Structure formats: structure tokens, C-alpha cells
Amino acid sequence: MGSLPTESFSVQEQQQLNMDDTSRKEREQWLLNSPDPPSLWHEVVGSLRGTLSSSRTKQTCSRRAFSLLQGLFPILDWGRNYKASKFKSDLMAGLTLASLSIPQSIGYANLAKLDPQFGLYTSVVPPLIYALMGSSREIAIGPVAVVSMLLSSMIPKVVDPVTDPVAYRKLVFTVTFFAGLFQSVFGLFRLGFLVDFLSHAAIVGFMAGAAIVIGLQQLKGLLGMSHFTNKTDVVSVLESVFTSFHHSSWYPLNFVLGCLFLIFLLIARFIGRRNKKLFWIPAIAPLVSVILSTLIVYLTKADKHGVKIVKHIKGGLNPSSAHQLQLKGPHLAQAAKMGLISAVIALTEAIAVGRSFASIKGYHLDGNKEMLAMGCMNLAGSLSSCYVATGSFSRTAVNFSAGCQTVVSNIVMAITVLLSLVLFTRLLYYTPIAILASIILSALPGLIDINEAYKIYKVDKLDFLACIGAFFGVLFASVEIGLLVAVTISFAKILLNAIRPGIQLLGRLPRTDTFCDISQFPMAIKTPSILAIRINSALLCFANTNFIRERILRWVTEEEDELQENKRTTIQAIILDLSSVMNIDTSGILALEELQKKLTSNGIELAMASPRWQVIHKLKLAKFVDKIGTGCVFLTVAEAMDGCLASKCAAISNC
């Protein structure tokens, strides 16, 4: 190193040079001699244990088995303290929930292009399984509009529900089986982050687009049309509507009846929102609509004058559908793909709903356990004539407002629906299709959140791009295209941040040992001839190493030019703050080696501060620590700065 005048050191720097060198070296050894991090196999096993058991203390075999059962079935934990007072609240909530679930389930089955009883079946078995395995107290399980529309948009591309309803139904059960299988795997192996690729902004846009598409799909029932497009994009739907108007293949009585009850439902919804104590009015309004409209059609014989009715609904207990699963054949790969998409959408909606109400009640919801519960209930559902079930926001809000205390309200709801299947399905023969359409339409406004979209626009423009991408993709193409656009934009945002991570020049805050970004804190003081640089990336990998290396070298050149203009010393050392880097791959290590060679050839020392566990472990295995020297690895940026200053002082003394 070149000769440096002693006067170039300030009084503060001289004091820092007098720190206890022995103590600093001891702390460096703590870092360098840390134990090896756990292997990938140990992490996988640990994930399974964490999912299935919440206890980490040493236990006997019997206690460990009971803890495992409690992890799988939370009802064994809270059920021991269940009281009669809670059951009273859950009973009322469950009955209120059933009054909303019965008409909605029939309507959603119609939306999924299935017979009405399959919607009711889906409101029996999945809620019962979830009550045993789920941890949310408020969530209401059953069929939902978005998933029903998703199935009706994907499966008819493979099997036509009109020409071959049996094959269509079998494929629905197979898709449900795969959806449950994927959800279970996500939960067991803690793969919840896969669901997070559908960002909040993408979900807002997707839900709004899906709500409009679902609403347009209901024009078939609302207008009493016999022929309607199987496509879900807005252009195809509107073309189908105009064609029906042109050929007069619609019946005004359906429209009048549907609109009258739609107005009634919207008024009931408005009353419930204005006065929380009257939550029961919008909850029972759909059932009242079904009863009144059925009586009107029966008494006036309106079905003889063009009013479309439900007709026969097969009653009884859920029949087995295990023999109908198509786990072999030409459609297996397509069923698996559709199951994966359905699993992700269903999980996203359920976890968002569950966490929203859990935060209100002040308890934590384990996403991985929820995934496992959802997976098991859909696996069971696929074997008992159900299609994909998940948590419904509208029914969960009713359940919450009705004062539910535990998931027993789901059990009450399921038993009530089962009794209706056994005893009352014949009474629904004359229920008009237009009423089911109006019930679905009345639930759609809750899926469109304009205020949240505006908030996203103000906060993050890239997030808003994902939001409108999902919205227009669903609206003008298809559900799959909308999801693909949203995920692509979200991935592009992640890649942009990964490829061009934040790299900051650090300075010491006055009168502290804290080093911060000098752009954010202009009062931070840069140390002459030493550059402290922080890499703000969780992973130093092949995607960003070239950018990081070139950026550091450019800063070194710019800093040297500035020092030469001011006739000051050249750069003596570079300190890399790796506290934000959680892991590194071989490309990252190679880039550090190339950087170190380049700096060394220019007479500049490279030091590292705060390397994380995985990073220092891999750098030791790659012998990179040996190349730069153990004396160039420090616990903190402050200690690295002191070490480099001491090295400068030693260089001066030797000159």
C-alpha cells in the first residue's frame, strides 16, 4: 500500500483504532467457528414436524402421539373446554348459516354446470372434515362462486357437460381429488409460499374480473335462455345475449321474477350493512326468496309460460363417487393441471378469509395447517360426490355476525343441509332458475373492491399493473389467462428486484457505531479511502452477481476519481455488508472471487461483515475465506471499519 500521512486520520478515527484488537478477533472466531447449518433433509423433516405438531419440548411416546393427533385434529385441543353456552351461540350461527348456504349451494352448483344436489353435497362432507382439522373459528366451508366458475370455464374444454354430463361429472370429481391432493402436499411440506405468488393486488383484480364474468353468466338464468355460450369472456357472453334477443329465444317472465327478487335481496343486504344487529335479514333473504318464488311458480303455473325451474333434485345422503375418479386415461394430465389451479385459487380465498376474521378475534391462523385441512376435506369430498370446496367470504361474514364461537357452527350447518337433502328436496321442484341467478348476483358486489384497487394504485404502480392485468385477462380472455397474466407480472416484479437488487453506500451516523445508507441519511459520514457497501438481496445468485460486481467496481472507479481530484488518498479497502444476504450459490461465490482478484490487483483489500449462517458456511467450503484471510471477516460493519483502519495505521507505521 502507498504511504499515507498520519495527519489524514481524524481524532475520532484514532480513538477507534485503539479498540481492543484481541476482543475483536475473538468475536470473529465466533462467526467463523459457528456450527454447520442443518441439511436440506433435516429442514424437510422439521417442516413436517412443525406442521403436524406445535410442541417442541421432549415428550414421552404417548404424549408425542397425542400431540401429533392434536396437530392434525385441533378439535381435540379446544373441544375439552367446550361449554354449553358456546354451543347455544354456535347453534344459532349454524342455523343462520344453513339458511344462506342451501340456496347459494344450489345456485353455485348450477354455475359449475352440475345438478343442484352436488352443491348441497359439497355443503355437508367438507364442512364436517374441516371442523375436525381446521383451526379457524369463523370460516364457513362450502362451494363458492369463483371456484364454481373456474371449473365451469376449464372442464367444458375437455368434456361437454351437455352432451356427456356423466363424463363431465366424473372429471369434476377427479379435479377435486387432485385439488385436495395438492393442498395436502402444500400443507405437509410448508409450501404455502406457492399460493403467495398470487399477490394481494392480483387477487383483487382477479376477484373483480371474476365477479363481472359470473354476473354475465347469470344472464342465462335471469333471462331464461335455453342456448348460451360455454365461454366466459365478456365478448362471447354479450354476443350470446344479443343473439338470444335477436331470435327472441328468451322469456320476459324469468327476467321480471328474477329482477324483483334481486331488488329484494339487495335491499336486505343494504339493511344488514347499515345496522349490524340486523345481520340476519340478508342471511335469511335468499331462503325466503326461494320459498316465495317457488310458491308463486307453483300457484300460478308459471312454468307452463316459459319460467325455467330446477325440477327434480336428487335427495338422500352423499353417494360414494370413489369409483368415478378417472386416475387413468387421456384426461389425467389435464385433470391434474386443473386441480392445481383450483387448489391455488381455493386456498388463496380461504386463507385470506380465515386470516381476516382471525385478526379481528385476535388469534393466529397457521396457513400450513389450514392447507392440510382444506386438502383432506377436498380429498374426502371427491370420494363423496362433492366438488372443490373452500371458505366463503359472504357466509363467513354471516357466521361471524351471528356470533359463532367455534367451527361447531359448520357442523350444525352441515347437519341442517343434510336433513334438507333427506326431507325437503322435493319441495324445491318448482324453484325458478332466475331466483338462483339473482341470489348469485346479489353476492357479487362483495367481490369488487374499487377502494382497494385505488389504494394499490397509489402505493405501488407495478402491483396495480398486476391487478388490472388479472382483471382484463379474466374479463376479455379466460380465467386461466387472467391468472397467467397476474402471475407473470408478479414474477416479473420479483425477477426485477432479484436481478437489480438494492446496493447502498454506507456511512457512520454521528456519535454512533451504526452504518446507514448515505442516500437516506445525508448526515452519515463516509470514512476516507474505505468504501462500505451493503447488498440488499436475500440471495446472491446467478441472476444478480454480474450486476452487483459491475456496480461495485464502478463505484470504486468513481470514488477513486473523486479522491484524485481532491488530491486525497486512494481507496484502501472495500467492506461488503452481507447482513441482508440469506444464501449464496456457486455463481455468487465465483463473482466474489473475481471481485476479490480485481480489487487485489489494484491494491484494494476486500473485507466482509455480518455474513449469515448459510453464506459463511458455503464460503468456508469453497475456500473463499482462506483466500481473503480470516482477518477480513467481521461480525459487524463497525468492527470491519475499525479493522480496516487498524490495517491502514499499520501500513503507515511500516512506511
Side-chain angles (χ1 to χ4, degrees), residues 29-38 612-614 616-618 620:
Q29 291 305 312
W30 296 346
L31 179 64
L32 292 169
N33 296 329
S34 57
D36 292 344
R612 305 303 288 264
W613 200 5
Q614 294 280 1
I616 192 63
H617 175 66
K618 290 184 179 180
K620 284 160 60 179

Side-chain angles (χ1 to χ4, degrees), residues 609-628:
S610 308
R612 305 303 288 264
W613 200 5
Q614 294 280 1
V615 174
I616 192 63
H617 175 66
K618 290 184 179 180
L619 292 179
K620 284 160 60 179
L621 290 176
K623 308 296 183 183
F624 181 72
V625 174
D626 296 336
K627 292 178 183 178
I628 65 172

Side-chain angles (χ1 to χ4, degrees), residues 498-573:
I499 293 171
R500 299 179 64 87
I503 306 175
Q504 303 165 348
L505 277 175
L506 306 180
R508 190 193 298 266
L509 290 178
R511 299 177 298 279
T512 71
D513 281 333
T514 303
F515 284 78
C516 299
D517 180 12
I518 58 175
S519 300
Q520 183 178 0
F521 299 93
M523 73 290 298
I525 302 167
K526 288 201 299 182
T527 304
S529 70
I530 298 178
L531 279 184
I533 299 172
R534 176 180 295 148
I535 300 173
N536 277 333
S537 175
L539 180 61
L540 192 58
C541 64
F542 65 92
N544 56 25
T545 51
N546 286 329
F547 173 79
I548 292 170
R549 183 181 61 247
E550 296 302 324
R551 185 71 176 272
I552 292 172
L553 291 174
R554 188 167 73 245
W555 267 344
V556 170
T557 303
E558 291 172 355
E559 190 73 14
E560 284 188 328
D561 291 342
E562 183 182 343
L563 289 173
Q564 288 176 3
E565 286 178 8
N566 298 328
K567 296 182 179 180
R568 299 169 68 182
T569 60
T570 59
I571 295 178
Q572 302 296 317

